[in-house]
Amino acid sequence: MPVLKYRNAGAVAVVVSVAMMICSPQAFAGYGHGGSTNGSDTSGDSDGTGKLSATAGAVVFDRSKNGSGGSAGPVTSSSGSWTPPACYYAPKYTPDQLQKYLEPIWNAESTGPEWDLEQRDKYVNGGEAKDFNKAKAGEGYWWDSYVTEGREGDPGALKCDKGIFWVDTGDAPPADVPQAITPEMLAQLAYAEIRVPSTKVDLAPAGTTKVNLPTWAWLDTAKFKPVSVTASVPLLNVTATTTAEPVSLKIDPGTGDATTYPASGVCTISGDRIGEAYAKGKAKETPPCGVKYLRSSGDGSYQLRATITWKIHWTGTGIPDERGLPDGTFGAEQDVVVQEIQSVNR
């Protein structure tokens, strides 16, 4: 991964309100000798919906191009146990804000005199900084750890155990901090924010079909356009956009007594459609995407599950070409009643 130089580009005045929000001591709970284990402070956009943008820790998410609606949901990584980072380091405090955060802790005398003295020596008496680096106010920020929202109990969140540290504007964070925020990490955090529409396929016959009768299945991809989420750290002018595009549909009939078309059950996108809509005169043809049930569902129904695979990729600051992330999947079930074909005795 290339070394990333962080640039503020004189934008501090523009984002001062964001800085105050993400750095305010009141926004965080919890601290420890090995560094902060603070949770995220999340707030919605100006219309109060929280859907278009939100701030979580130091990261701002733009969801204006994300999937929406009551049936939309997060994708599941197709790459086994892969997950976005559980914690990361990013700017959190100006010198004044760090002082306001730490002094009440020291004054409470709840962390022990030895640790308090170590902290005062580090931030006040010149061990790492004199007077919280107030002489360098406006020239950088104190960085600390953030735990990704929803990952507070994750063992991975404990990996961010380095104490608070200073980074000058324009400098990369220390090399011994692998969890320092990067465009790739932002892309991974945006991955977790992706929402895609639920998958209900069109069927012919619809709802009720017959044993040994091919049932056609298809989707209009206009309902499944690419979606994206952008994550950024305004104080660093670092951003990444993660995009999900539908690539295929997998049909699971809900029973082993069925044949899928194609045999793999995976229907790829062709033009603007997955599968092909049934039309009069095609009754004897084999559907390009569909299922044939070999046994009646009796008094109940089979739970046909349709799952779309989404190809996910990202671009970001300093990254000229698209880079891939693990594919994601999202699906839904629907009832299919299968009846025996009735014969007429004469």
Side-chain angles (χ1 to χ4, degrees), residues 94-117:
T94 65
D96 283 340
Q97 288 162 351
L98 182 61
Q99 180 181 13
K100 291 178 182 179
Y101 170 64
L102 288 178
E103 284 191 339
I105 298 173
W106 301 338
N107 295 336
E109 298 182 347
S110 60
T111 51
E114 182 178 349
W115 186 78
D116 289 349
L117 179 59

Side-chain angles (χ1 to χ4, degrees), residues 9-324:
V12 174
V14 177
V15 297
V16 66
S17 62
V18 177
M20 293 300 292
M21 177 173 64
I22 67 176
C23 297
S24 171
Q26 289 80 6
F28 309 98
Y31 50 85
H33 294 214
S36 169
T37 55
N38 301 328
S40 299
D41 173 44
T42 303
S43 61
D45 54 354
S46 58
D47 68 4
T49 65
K51 294 181 179 179
L52 296 183
S53 64
T55 299
V59 179
V60 177
F61 294 103
D62 178 356
R63 304 187 183 114
S64 60
K65 297 181 181 178
N66 205 8
S68 60
S71 62
V75 295
T76 299
S77 168
S78 61
S79 184
S81 59
W82 182 89
T83 59
C87 66
Y88 58 91
Y89 289 95
K92 186 175 286 189
Y93 306 109
T94 65
D96 283 340
Q97 288 162 351
L98 182 61
Q99 180 181 13
K100 291 178 182 179
Y101 170 64
L102 288 178
E103 284 191 339
I105 298 173
W106 301 338
N107 295 336
E109 298 182 347
S110 60
T111 51
E114 182 178 349
W115 186 78
D116 289 349
L117 179 59
E118 290 177 357
Q119 292 286 291
R120 291 180 188 275
D121 284 343
K122 177 179 179 180
Y123 297 111
V124 180
N125 299 329
E128 182 173 324
K130 184 177 181 181
D131 196 20
F132 300 95
N133 261 1
K134 289 183 181 178
K136 300 183 73 174
E139 299 176 13
Y141 289 93
W142 288 103
W143 288 43
D144 201 358
S145 62
Y146 294 85
V147 176
T148 304
E149 186 176 8
R151 304 287 295 281
E152 290 81 2
D154 193 313
L158 300 178
K159 293 182 178 180
C160 294
D161 57 0
K162 182 178 177 64
I164 300 168
F165 56 92
W166 178 267
V167 178
D168 285 335
T169 297
D171 286 353
D176 63 347
V177 188
Q179 301 90 355
I181 199 72
T182 63
E184 183 174 11
M185 292 175 69
L186 284 173
Q188 294 172 356
L189 294 171
Y191 185 113
E193 299 296 316
I194 289 286
R195 297 295 181 267
V196 296
S198 183
T199 311
K200 184 175 182 180
V201 295
D202 294 310
L203 298 173
T208 300
T209 187
K210 303 293 184 182
V211 172
N212 291 322
L213 176 67
T215 299
W216 293 56
W218 69 93
L219 278 173
D220 182 350
T221 57
K223 300 176 183 177
F224 297 89
K225 295 179 179 179
V227 299
S228 65
V229 172
T230 296
S232 62
V233 180
L235 292 178
L236 300 176
N237 274 358
V238 179
T239 185
T241 297
T242 299
T243 301
E245 300 180 75
V247 292
S248 64
L249 166 71
K250 182 175 177 60
I251 299 291
D252 180 349
T255 175
D257 293 315
T259 298
T260 56
Y261 305 103
S264 64
V266 178
C267 309
T268 56
I269 290 180
S270 178
D272 61 352
R273 204 175 281 277
I274 300 177
E276 183 179 329
Y278 176 78
K280 186 176 180 180
K282 294 183 177 182
K284 295 183 179 181
E285 296 182 18
T286 298
C289 182
V291 59
K292 180 172 68 176
Y293 288 96
L294 308 178
R295 182 174 295 183
S296 166
S297 60
D299 294 331
S301 61
Y302 293 123
Q303 294 293 297
L304 181 146
R305 182 169 184 82
T307 302
I308 285 189
T309 294
W310 297 77
K311 179 182 178 181
I312 301 181
H313 53 85
W314 68 279
T315 58
T317 302
I319 308 298
D321 302 316
E322 289 184 355
R323 296 190 178 181

